[in-house]
Amino acid sequence: MKFTVSAMLACLSIFLLLTLSVGCTSMKTVTSVQPPVAEKIPHEMNQHGVQRNDDYYWMRDDDRKDPKIIAHLEAENSYKKAQFAPYESLQQTLFDELVGRLDKDESSVPYLWHSHWYSRRYQQGFEYPIIARSKVLGETETILLDVNVRAEGQDFYGLGGVTVSPDESMLAFGEDLLSRRMYKIYFKSIESGEFLKDILEGTDGRLVWANDNQHVFYIKKDPQTLLGNQVFRHQLGTEQAQDVLVYEELDDTYYIALGQSLDETRIVLHHESTITSEVSVLDADTPLGQFVPLLAREEGHEYSVAKLGDEYYIVTNWLAENFRLMKVSESEFADKSQWQQVIAADDDVRIEDILLLKDFLIVQTRVNGLSHIEVRPFGEQNAYHLAFSDPAYVVGLDVNASQQSDKLRVYYSSPTTPESIYEYDLTSPSTRVLLKQEKVLGQFDSELYQAERLFITARDGVKVPVTLVYRKDTFSKDGTNPLYQYGYGAYGHTIEPDFDSSALSLLDRGVVYAIAHVRGGEMLGRPWYDNGRMLNKQNSFNDFVDVTKALTEQGYADSKRVVAAGGSAGGLLMGSVINQAPELYFAVAAHVPFVDIVTTMLDESIPLTTNEYDEWGNPNEKAYFDYMLSYSPYDQITRQDYPHLLVTTGLHDSQVQYFEPAKWVAKLRDYKTDDNELLFHIDMEAGHGGKSGRYRRYQDTAQEYAFFLGLLGLGK
């Protein structure tokens, strides 16, 4: 193997790590180790008359085996380890705190499906759950799958979907051992414990059973793009090579997913792009049939369905920006003129989800950023809302496995309230039972903490919601507290104001924790999303920056001690923010950051690119190319001071390829004009979600917190 400069630096970094002074007390005292310097190899690109040069394009290796690239990544890891040495003990302290709050024997609330009660539980000291069931609640259980046994000896283990056949005799589950989200599906006889010879490879990890207990349907992924684009039917006892292709998605801007109606009469195939959807169904009693669209896709029309008897209820944005609820018989579904309105569109109310029970329609909405659950009896009773009192919270539908039930389970959480599972007796509106609340071990007392919900006016006059939480006895609102600000802002994904036991390690050290619900999410309904995507993406960055400015101006934070974090599309947010307003942030963590947006979106061979044209725009069109280039974190790096930076990635990341942050870090090292830390941690075993396992995943959180708290001088 050629001995490259990067390989030499890796060896040098390891040597210097071993010779660091044991008296170091601050990252800034570690000055003898030099960061890796990546080789520059010009790579010219010309689109729409714009000439770009990418000196680090060579870092891409789809096989992840190139010795030069691996050596460079290992050199980065060695440098990060050397610079992080003074805070390794703090990281361990934080890790012990984080896992020390976990209920070592945590278990889910059992739910009744068919004739058994199903649940998941952990055993003390083990990373993965045990999936079990019992015939009678509280009596002897049967272990269906001990995931710890399956994961033994694996550097990474990802459990996919777990499903039981309708007659409850067979178990199917998916496994990913590489963190590329490509799963093998296995089958196990529950009675004998024996595994079938059937193994389905290259899947998305989930399947749906037909009612004959012999046929299953699954989605197979394209090995290059990682898009799930084919639906196959498999008969138990046959080779995968004999499986029948029953549907192929030819439009590579769509995702597909399989599900089942709550009454178990229909297998449902969902087709989704960013702004268009379609639903196809197959009678679960006739698995040899074909999937038939309920309503053919229409560009810009999004809809989802729930079935009750012969009728479908439809959550649709047809003539309704924030969606409305309609219903129609199955035979007339394809004719929208036959749809009957159940709940009208409301500019202030986003309909998010529904549940159909035999006597009740349950509607989940979001109003002014807060979740609501409305119960609508089908009889003469009046509708009513479930009441919650925290200033910021999230509530949603939990596992409700039977359409015949008159009980409703919801989950509830707030920044100061651990996740709670409530069961409501819908025949008695004022009756609810707390089935379970997440245990937080140690000295946790919710009364010590305070949550607030603010609306910050952005530069264009729009009010941006912010969730704040802090410890009362360490907060003074005089501009002296450090601030940890988190953001995401993409895909219409809402970062909920829920409870996070990890955050206590920040709050207990006097840090104010803030979530900036920037445009691009859907906290304030569908318009909030539309105003933060495509040619409106700059709003996401402006919102985040304006929230930071306002929180410091209003005394919530010390302007010199603001740290920020985001991952994936939130990493793009971090990258753009530090290009545009680096002076506002003391330190930033960008996890698996999507930072080379233009080059990635021009390359259809990279996983998931084509599905995202309606999110970011198609840079093959000049208007979108120019706009994306104007904020692309990688392209817009300039010669200026940057905050302290911690960047993380996984070598096997299937969502944001490792070479995006690798190139970004290399270019930042070349351009930045400061002496602040720039640390790059590459998990050589993991992918987009980081480490697997209940405890191991907290190593990443402890690392980020140690980075921030150490720099802030709060490492106690």
Side-chain angles (χ1 to χ4, degrees), residues 583-601:
E583 72 283 355
L584 295 181
Y585 302 95
F586 176 65
V588 169
H591 303 296
V592 293
F594 180 34
V595 285
D596 190 17
I597 182 171
V598 176
T599 302
T600 292
M601 294 300 295

Side-chain angles (χ1 to χ4, degrees), residues 235-249:
Q235 183 174 1
L236 295 187
T238 65
E239 297 289 335
Q240 186 179 13
Q242 298 176 263
D243 290 354
V244 178
L245 177 65
V246 296
Y247 178 80
E248 183 168 16
E249 181 56 66

